[in-house]
Amino acid sequence: MRIVVAEDLYLLRDGMVRLLEAYGHQVVATATTGPETLDVLLTQRPDVAVVDVRMPPTQSDEGLRAALEVRRRVPRLPILILSQHVEQLYARELLADGTGGIGYFLKESVFDADQFVDALERVAGGGTAMDPAVIAKLLSSGSSNRRLERLTEREHDVLGLMAEGLSNQAIGQRLFLSESAISKHTTSIFGKLGITDDGNNNRRVLAVLTYLNNA
């Protein structure tokens, strides 16, 4: 994969570059500020980008804003956002267009190389990849959602793993169920959440967005 890494901390940026190259991927460019991130992504059009939320010049949300602007100009360009802390709004904004190719990971998860690279590859393939810690934190402060209340306990389990970005096969392995059983659960989830297949949106992303909006 052709990858852009946007991170202002040298040690973390250099570490990610070395890690990704060790897994056989090509880092075509790096960026250290929000404006530079926007320029590099629009110029390089990588297969996927890793972008830190907080970047110079103000260390607020320049990286996130650059990512959202790029997605506006280049729909579906895959981006994995890194954050020091869980920010509920970030996850929702990233998933809001319903098209996939989006991930949201905590920086500490980068140190689990296999998990990080696997998430990046899922995002590059048009899927979603939410850090399990992000999901847990969002749901720990969750409020009621009538549509989600219709789901069975097993369907909640399936949707939670779907939010992490796992495929039906991977969810089945995690829950010790057949892939066909997971397929039935996902179909039921889409029906209960009122998510139809209109050909324009990724139903799994819309289901995850509904899930996160419960938090």
Side-chain angles (χ1 to χ4, degrees):
M1 296 186 299
R2 297 176 63 258
I3 302 172
V4 165
V5 175
E7 165 62 56
D8 62 304
L9 295 178
Y10 172 76
L11 289 179
L12 182 55
R13 183 176 67 253
D14 185 63
M16 283 192 288
V17 170
R18 292 174 182 270
L19 169 65
L20 294 171
E21 290 178 342
Y23 274 75
H25 300 304
Q26 178 187 11
V27 177
V28 295
T30 61
T32 59
T33 70
E36 184 182 5
T37 298
L38 179 59
D39 289 342
V40 167
L41 291 179
L42 290 175
T43 300
Q44 293 290 339
R45 305 290 178 95
D47 296 321
V48 65
V50 183
V51 180
D52 183 17
V53 167
R54 300 181 183 275
M55 300 183 74
T58 67
Q59 290 292 352
S60 57
D61 61 354
E62 282 89 348
L64 176 68
R65 294 299 152 202
L68 292 173
E69 178 61 18
V70 167
R71 294 270 293 187
R72 187 185 69 80
R73 300 192 198 183
V74 187
R76 301 176 185 269
L77 192 150
I79 296 176
L80 175 63
I81 287 287
L82 294 181
S83 178
Q84 191 71 39
H85 307 288
V86 177
E87 294 288 350
Q88 182 174 315
L89 180 62
Y90 296 166
R92 290 176 176 171
E93 283 194 86
L94 289 165
L95 290 167
D97 64 9
T99 59
I102 282 294
Y104 181 45
F105 258 52
L106 296 180
K107 285 189 174 182
E108 62 190 42
S109 297
V110 174
F111 299 106
D112 184 333
D114 289 338
Q115 176 180 270
F116 174 63
V117 174
D118 178 64
L120 198 60
E121 291 173 346
R122 289 204 307 271
V123 170
T128 60
M130 305 298 288
D131 193 312
V134 171
I135 299 296
K137 180 65 179 292
L138 291 176
L139 293 182
S140 67
S141 58
S143 59
S144 178
N145 180 302
R146 288 187 178 181
R147 287 188 294 172
L148 286 178
E149 289 174 354
R150 300 172 188 166
L151 304 184
T152 65
E153 182 177 353
R154 178 61 77 190
E155 288 168 349
H156 272 283
D157 293 339
V158 171
L159 184 52
L161 293 173
M162 193 188 298
E164 292 181 24
L166 300 185
S167 65
N168 283 358
Q169 181 180 18
I171 294 173
Q173 292 173 347
R174 187 78 65 88
L175 298 178
F176 302 102
L177 295 172
S178 67
E179 188 172 350
S180 61
I182 299 302
S183 180
K184 291 178 181 178
H185 283 309
T186 57
T187 298
S188 176
I189 289 168
F190 295 147
K192 290 179 179 180
L193 296 182
I195 298 172
T196 59
D197 186 4
D198 62 5
N200 295 318
N201 293 309
N202 184 318
R203 288 194 297 171
R204 295 176 80 89
V205 175
L206 293 178
V208 171
L209 184 58
T210 300
Y211 187 62
L212 295 178
N213 281 338
N214 185 52

